[in-house]
Amino acid sequence: MSYKIIIDSCGELTEEMKKSGHFETASLQIDVDGHHIVDDESFDQADFLRRVKASGECPKSSCPSPERYMEEYHCDAEHVYAVTLSAELSGSYNSAVLGKNLYEEEYGEKDIYVFNSRSASVGETLIGLKIAECEEKGMSFQKVESYIEAQHTYFVLETLDTLKKNGRLKGLKAVVATALNVKPVMGSTPEGSIQQLSQARGIKKGLAKMVDEVAANMKNTQEKILAISHCNCEERAKAVRDMLLERASFKDVIILDTAGISSMYAADGGVIVVV
């Protein structure tokens, strides 16, 4: 069976995924200080971070339109899957579902399935890889839903400003002031919104605390891929990987630089871990 997996651009693709011919990106878009950026292959992280630093304004993002998803679904593949940012954080999931409805009105029935990642960034990457594995092994895609249920996302950022100003931390009682150099350790809820797990003084301790949180929830790691994405701080990402490898062995480890949307929210120096 031929298949295609569309991942919105909050999820990073590995080089192997890009070369496989099975993966496509549905680009979100970013506006910073009057400058419009499409989150695709042309995204320049260094230029983007420079613009954000120079601007007094908070960058804003917009998700792919239902029509954009419909175009992606219109292909030769018999099975088509979409993986989107958590529906709690973005309209991308709704867009992908509406795109499916539009496609079916226009062209008739097709095997299209939309996954709400309940995550972001490399969480979407891992879900894309899981779908491909199920396709290659002839397993039901329902296994992917179980995988999503079991997946955990964690992150420590230098600043939560963009998340806060764009309303992505709703319902969080008090995220500690960064003025005290306190770094909250954040994570995903089962529904896919954001919660605070713990905190530490300074980024180094914050990352160590995040590793503790990850380790406390790890199960059957030999069967799992450890995925880490970072915004312009590869050494930090590698340090987190090494700390986790001291505690467990994994099937594989992926470290990726954040694409546009993840760079916008993670901000310079942010690290995201998904297991």
Side-chain angles (χ1 to χ4, degrees):
M1 279 287 202
S2 58
Y3 65 94
K4 176 179 177 179
I5 302 165
I6 302 150
I7 299 183
D8 75 24
S9 65
C10 185
E12 291 77 27
L13 299 186
T14 65
E15 286 308 314
E16 290 79 8
M17 289 164 91
K18 288 175 190 172
K19 285 175 191 155
S20 74
H22 290 297
F23 292 90
E24 293 282 340
T25 297
S27 296
L28 282 88
Q29 307 197 29
I30 306 170
D31 287 287
V32 55
D33 220 8
H35 185 70
H36 188 70
I37 298 164
V38 178
D39 187 11
D40 59 15
E41 289 287 312
S42 68
F43 176 72
D44 180 337
Q45 189 191 63
D47 178 67
F48 172 71
L49 293 175
R50 186 182 55 72
R51 285 177 187 278
V52 170
K53 202 170 181 183
S55 165
E57 291 174 27
C58 188
K60 294 261 183 279
S61 64
S62 52
C63 64
S65 66
E67 291 76 15
R68 173 82 177 86
Y69 276 111
M70 180 175 86
E71 283 164 26
E72 288 287 352
Y73 299 150
H74 189 44
C75 61
D76 294 335
E78 292 155 281
H79 295 168
V80 181
Y81 304 93
V83 180
T84 74
L85 244 164
S86 171
E88 294 284 323
L89 304 176
S90 165
S92 188
Y93 175 75
N94 285 342
S95 250
V97 172
L98 282 171
K100 177 186 174 182
N101 299 344
L102 288 176
Y103 178 91
E104 288 176 346
E105 280 169 28
E106 187 88 16
Y107 303 107
E109 290 290 307
K110 183 168 188 165
D111 271 338
I112 300 169
Y113 192 87
V114 182
F115 289 100
N116 170 12
S117 73
R118 301 189 217 167
S119 180
S121 187
V122 280
E124 294 177 60
T125 314
L126 289 180
I127 293 161
L129 289 171
K130 194 70 181 174
I131 297 166
E133 182 192 336
C134 287
E135 274 284 345
E136 300 294 342
K137 291 181 176 172
M139 297 188 301
S140 160
F141 68 79
Q142 291 301 340
K143 284 204 176 306
V144 181
E145 288 291 9
S146 311
Y147 175 77
I148 292 170
E149 294 272 340
Q151 193 185 67
H152 295 281
T153 305
Y154 309 84
F155 58 95
V156 172
L157 312 181
E158 285 283 7
T159 172
L160 295 169
D161 275 2
T162 308
L163 282 169
K164 215 182 266 178
K165 286 175 181 165
N166 282 307
R168 302 303 190 261
L169 299 180
K170 281 187 184 125
L172 273 181
K173 302 271 185 305
V175 172
V176 182
T178 39
L180 303 166
N181 198 24
V182 169
K183 303 297 177 197
V185 176
M186 312 298 279
S188 57
T189 66
E191 303 74 42
S193 53
I194 295 170
Q195 61 181 335
Q196 184 174 343
L197 301 170
S198 61
Q199 64 195 48
R201 181 73 51 99
I203 195 84
K204 214 169 173 183
K205 287 182 179 160
L207 294 171
K209 206 76 176 266
M210 174 171 69
V211 167
D212 290 342
E213 292 287 346
V214 176
N217 285 304
M218 290 191 302
K219 288 188 187 109
N220 311 325
T221 55
Q222 301 88 335
E223 298 159 26
K224 291 182 180 170
I225 299 171
L226 167 65
I228 303 170
S229 57
H230 64 90
C231 185
N232 193 34
C233 58
E234 193 176 6
E235 292 311 310
R236 267 180 200 175
K238 286 178 173 171
V240 168
R241 172 199 63 193
D242 295 346
M243 284 189 270
L244 282 164
L245 287 175
E246 280 172 18
R247 310 231 192 157
S249 55
F250 297 87
K251 184 168 81 173
D252 196 5
V253 182
I254 296 170
I255 296 181
L256 290 169
D257 208 346
T258 48
I261 294 296
S262 298
S263 294
M264 172 180 149
Y265 285 112
D268 205 354
V271 178
I272 304 159
V273 175
V274 184
V275 185

